């Protein structure tokens, strides 16, 4: 029994020739490619489930968006402080020395910090590592040179 397609389905060579013959004439339909794609998308888009659209990244994940909104609401929530904490925050920018030493508080408020110079000088002297001696490496090098000279004299 003969095939109504003339052997297209049974003979690969005939199928290839038929496809190439039709492909030569496809150029005249190239202008219809975009409208065909838009029309196909128009018909297919509603058939795709939202879960699939989220999976391939075409729609934002509603669960992730809800989690981000909840986190943002927690970050933007007002902070309630107790009375002592609010007072500590209000006075945090004041220098601690003015509260400790009331004698200096008036001068500090006026911008005169000369009363603290002695304390600062003592602190810097105590904390800075000032080397009173010369560099030890130079002394070691000189000692080695002297030892070498002595050895040379002994050998002679």
């Amino acid at each position: 029994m003969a095939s109504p397609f003339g052997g297209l389905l049974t003979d690969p060579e005939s199928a290839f020739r038929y496809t190439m013959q039709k492909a030569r004439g496809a150029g005249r339909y190239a202008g219809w490619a975009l409208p065909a794609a838009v029309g196909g998308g128009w018909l297919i888009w509603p058939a795709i489930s939202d879960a699939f659209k989220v999976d391939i990244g075409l729609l934002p994940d509603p669960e992730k968006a809800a989690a981000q909104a909840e986190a943002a609401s927690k970050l933007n929530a007002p902070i309630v402080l107790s009375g002592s904490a609010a007072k500590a925050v209000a006075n945090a920018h004041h220098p601690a020395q003015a509260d400790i030493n009331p004698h200096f508080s008036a001068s500090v408020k006026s911008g005169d910090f000369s009363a603290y110079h002695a304390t600062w000088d003592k602190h810097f002297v105590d904390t800075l590592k000032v080397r009173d001696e010369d560099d030890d490496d130079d002394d070691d090098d000189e000692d080695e040179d002297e030892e070498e000279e002595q050895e040379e004299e002994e050998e002679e």
Side-chain angles (χ1 to χ4, degrees):
M1 180 171 187
S3 169
F5 295 108
L8 282 179
L9 299 177
T10 57
D11 186 17
E13 184 179 349
S14 298
F16 180 73
R17 269 192 264 125
Y18 178 76
T19 305
M20 292 306 293
Q21 182 184 5
K22 293 298 179 185
R24 286 188 198 111
R28 61 183 167 180
Y29 298 111
W32 288 98
L34 180 64
V38 170
W42 187 276
L43 294 174
I44 293 172
W45 183 257
I48 300 173
S49 68
D50 286 341
F52 180 73
K53 292 174 188 174
V54 168
D55 286 344
I56 62 173
L58 293 176
L59 290 178
D61 189 2
E63 294 172 1
K64 187 176 180 182
Q68 287 176 344
E70 183 180 341
S73 67
K74 286 181 182 179
L75 289 175
N76 293 331
I79 299 172
V80 180
L81 298 175
S82 65
S84 62
K87 183 178 178 183
V89 169
N91 294 325
H93 64 282
H94 299 294
Q97 285 83 7
D99 297 332
I100 293 171
N101 195 344
H103 173 70
F104 296 133
S105 64
S107 63
V108 169
K109 287 181 182 175
S110 68
D112 180 21
F113 294 98
S114 61
Y116 290 109
H117 286 194
T119 308
W120 290 340
D121 290 341
K122 181 181 181 303
H123 171 75
F124 288 132
V125 167
D126 292 343
T127 57
L128 290 176
K129 296 181 180 178
V130 178
R131 296 180 69 163
D132 294 335
E133 300 175 6
D134 290 336
D135 190 11
D136 291 337
D137 293 336
D138 293 339
D139 294 339
D140 292 340
D141 292 340
E142 290 174 6
D143 293 340
E144 289 175 5
D145 292 340
E146 290 175 6
E147 289 175 3
E148 289 176 4
E149 289 176 4
Q150 289 175 357
E151 288 175 6
E152 290 175 3
E153 289 176 3
E154 291 175 3
E155 289 176 2
E156 293 176 357

